[in-house]
Amino acid sequence: MYAGGGSGVLAQALSDVDVSPIEGQSGWLVRNALNDRLGAGRQNGGARYRLDIRLDDKVEGLGQLSNDTITRERRTVRARYQLVDIASGNVLLDATAGSDAGFDVVNSEYAVIAAEQTALENLSQEIADQIVTRVSVRLREAK
């Protein structure tokens, strides 16, 4: 699929994908991860494709003690995305990606915030990988 490395047909097609802005911190992280993987900025002219993404990011309590104290949380990030051909306006791909991560809630508020942030960063990378894989397959089929 990646024959030719950075100058191959698929790498060139991926660099023609522009990622639309995504709301929130999780959106910023996912967009940056996607731009890193797609090689944004390598294209010479304007983008040929646009990737529109909507994220659903939530944190929910899982483990609970007898005094109703939450001991474990799960962060779930889901992405609904569309790959659009800019010239024609046709939607080439309409799919979802998602992942979740669990972390312990401890007495240190700093530790909990750090664990939650680390989970979000890791989930953003995983979602970006899923999206790029599906987009790559779709663009490969189109060539």
Side-chain angles (χ1 to χ4, degrees):
M1 178 164 23
Y2 297 105
S7 61
V9 174
L10 184 57
Q12 294 299 319
L14 287 175
S15 69
D16 283 340
V17 176
D18 179 48
V19 182
S20 298
I22 311 168
E23 289 185 29
Q25 179 187 17
S26 56
W28 182 81
L29 289 167
V30 169
R31 186 170 191 262
N32 283 344
L34 284 167
N35 284 333
D36 288 346
R37 286 160 177 73
L38 294 171
R42 286 191 307 195
Q43 67 262 20
N44 295 330
R48 182 173 175 194
Y49 307 102
R50 184 182 72 242
L51 193 57
D52 296 329
I53 303 171
R54 286 190 320 269
L55 291 180
D56 179 28
D57 179 11
K58 65 181 177 180
V59 178
E60 61 184 339
L62 293 177
Q64 200 168 13
L65 296 176
S66 59
N67 64 356
D68 290 334
T69 302
I70 294 177
T71 60
R72 187 142 178 91
E73 289 183 336
R74 177 173 61 195
R75 183 164 207 154
T76 305
V77 180
R78 300 280 180 252
R80 168 91 190 266
Y81 60 95
Q82 293 182 327
L83 180 66
V84 179
D85 185 322
I86 293 173
S88 67
N90 290 338
V91 175
L92 303 176
L93 177 64
D94 187 352
T96 59
S99 191
D100 59 81
F103 52 92
D104 291 328
V105 177
V106 295
N107 291 334
S108 168
E109 189 176 331
Y110 175 78
V112 173
I113 292 170
E116 193 173 320
Q117 183 64 31
T118 300
L120 178 58
E121 291 169 3
N122 292 338
L123 292 172
S124 298
Q125 298 292 326
E126 189 170 327
I127 287 172
D129 287 340
Q130 291 175 25
I131 292 172
V132 169
T133 299
R134 291 285 305 272
V135 167
S136 297
V137 169
R138 180 62 185 102
L139 292 177
R140 180 73 177 159
E141 292 169 352
K143 296 290 173 191

